[in-house]
Amino acid sequence: MTSGIRFDAVSVAYGGTTVLDRLDLTVEPGEVIALLGPSGSGKTTALRAVAGFVRPVSGRVLIGDRDVTALPPYRRGIGMVVQQYALFPHLRVEANVAFGLKARKTPKDEIPGRVAEALEMTGMAAYAHRYPRELSGGQQQRVAIARALAIRPKVLLLDEPLSALDAQLRSGMLAELARLHRELPDVSILYVTHDQVEALTLADRIAVMDKARLQDCGTPQDLYRRPRTEFTASFVGNANLLPVTVTADGVAFDGTELNVAPGDATPGAATLCVRPHLVGLGEGPNALRGRIVEVQWRGSTHRLYVEVGGHRVKADVRELRETPLLGSEVTLHFAPEDAVLLAAGVNDDH
């Protein structure tokens, strides 16, 4: 069976409430797509539809070139890792990893080698004889990943796999997942998360979900640098979303004319997106004058909240020797090429 996942107008409903609405999305062979969105956006439902845990009310799910919509989970040839790990506490690590192989009636003489291979790949070979209770959270997660990989799946489903880990462990596991992706170039990975850093770090493309629908899809760089919608701009990274007016003469914010390319925007109300780290302190192009209302020290940077015309503008500036005083007047600026003009209210379907 070839790898790859295709959602063909997939809808899922519970009791008359649509929780996934006409999803069209393709995960290419060897690609990692992150489903990113808030709780209730439909991302986990989409993953469960691939796994076979929910049945669409309409549409099809394909793995490779095979329609698996009506197949039970065990016949889909997928590996899955969930945030609770779901390890059997009474089985040693090697037995946990072997479980899926035995369930698929893998020849007995193949199982030890496949288990050793999966444990080696996840850095857990030295822990084969331990019980889950004797492992840290990060080690348990590695075992869960090893179990999923032991069956040599063409499709790997990851459902918030790092959310139960602390920040340091999460960072380490992100690096491990990125390494595994490089070592498994033919495996298609669907990764569900609400964490922007995980999505930006791991994914080849990010599918942004909200209100049961796919709102945007693109590479992490495209969605971050050139978001199409206000929702994408605010959910992928951090953003200043400033209400502006587009006229035949240009773009204006709070009565100040800005040097911003209007692009394809039609005259009227629109939204200007500028990332906080691209907003500088002091004189420069597109100068905005305002009053500091909040200062947050973030180690290498200070985040300044500056009130400009009744709107808060965020600026992440390199750590200042002296913390600016609340209420002091400052000037912010940003380069024309660092601003993206969004049509107000855009929320296209895909």
Side-chain angles (χ1 to χ4, degrees):
M1 184 179 67
T2 57
S3 63
I5 306 167
R6 182 158 68 90
F7 296 89
D8 180 13
V10 173
S11 293
V12 176
Y14 298 135
T17 301
T18 299
V19 293
L20 187 65
D21 190 7
R22 293 170 293 164
L23 176 61
D24 283 307
L25 182 67
T26 298
V27 185
E28 300 292 347
E31 184 180 33
V32 178
I33 282 192
L35 294 179
L36 179 67
S39 298
S41 61
K43 58 187 187 297
T44 295
T45 300
L47 181 138
R48 290 171 62 84
V50 178
F53 299 148
V54 298
R55 181 76 178 268
V57 295
S58 62
R60 300 184 304 156
V61 177
L62 293 92
I63 295 179
D65 54 5
R66 184 170 64 147
D67 186 341
V68 300
T69 312
L71 292 182
Y74 66 88
R75 291 187 57 196
R76 299 191 179 201
I78 59 173
M80 186 168 182
V81 180
V82 298
Q83 70 181 84
Q84 294 87 6
Y85 316 143
L87 299 179
F88 298 107
H90 63 289
L91 297 180
R92 297 181 189 273
V93 164
E94 59 185 357
N96 266 284
V97 175
F99 183 84
L101 294 169
K102 292 178 179 178
R104 286 164 174 77
K105 296 182 169 52
T106 303
K108 287 185 178 180
D109 59 344
E110 288 185 22
I111 291 178
R114 297 270 287 273
V115 169
E117 177 186 55
L119 289 175
E120 185 68 33
M121 191 175 295
T122 54
M124 291 299 293
Y127 301 86
H129 301 299
R130 294 195 185 184
Y131 288 98
R133 65 177 179 272
E134 299 172 324
L135 304 176
S136 68
Q139 290 169 336
Q140 289 181 42
Q141 189 62 293
R142 288 170 187 256
V143 174
I145 294 171
R147 181 174 59 188
L149 295 177
I151 65 171
R152 295 176 181 168
K154 293 295 184 181
V155 167
L156 181 61
L157 307 178
L158 302 173
D159 187 8
E160 302 274 11
L162 309 183
S163 61
L165 304 179
D166 61 38
Q168 187 171 359
L169 279 176
R170 188 179 301 120
S171 176
M173 282 303 301
L174 273 175
E176 287 299 312
L177 288 172
R179 179 184 60 79
L180 282 173
H181 178 214
R182 293 192 297 270
E183 294 183 4
L184 301 168
D186 297 326
V187 177
S188 300
I189 300 176
L190 191 62
Y191 189 104
V192 166
T193 183
H194 64 272
D195 187 285
Q196 302 167 8
V197 173
E198 291 179 22
L200 291 168
T201 301
L202 284 177
D204 298 308
R205 287 189 295 150
I206 298 174
V208 183
M209 305 285 295
D210 188 41
K211 298 177 182 176
R213 308 194 81 173
L214 177 64
Q215 303 296 340
D216 213 339
C217 187
T219 67
Q221 293 85 354
D222 286 345
L223 294 184
Y224 187 82
R225 294 171 181 164
R226 296 289 161 184
R228 294 180 58 258
T229 69
E230 293 182 25
F231 182 80
T232 299
S234 61
F235 207 82
V236 180
N238 207 291
N240 289 300
L241 297 175
L242 308 178
V244 296
T245 303
V246 179
T247 67
D249 299 324
V251 179
F253 168 66
D254 189 39
T256 300
E257 291 293 328
L258 300 177
N259 180 12
V260 175
D264 298 328
T266 57
T271 300
L272 193 70
C273 170
V274 187
R275 300 294 183 183
H277 74 278
L278 298 174
V279 178
L281 184 62
E283 295 293 340
N286 293 316
L288 303 176
R289 292 172 178 80
R291 179 176 57 87
I292 295 178
V293 293
E294 186 179 349
V295 178
Q296 295 177 354
W297 179 68
R298 300 190 172 194
S300 61
T301 64
H302 276 95
R303 169 162 291 183
L304 308 182
Y305 291 82
V306 180
E307 186 175 290
V308 181
H311 301 279
R312 280 194 169 198
V313 179
K314 296 170 287 192
D316 290 340
V317 298
R318 295 187 65 179
E319 186 179 10
L320 303 169
R321 293 187 180 279
E322 294 184 8
T323 302
L325 297 176
L326 296 182
S328 59
E329 299 288 331
V330 294
T331 299
L332 304 176
H333 68 271
F334 59 88
E337 61 271 20
D338 290 335
V340 180
L341 196 61
L342 309 173
V346 169
N347 209 19
D348 294 345
D349 299 328
H350 292 255

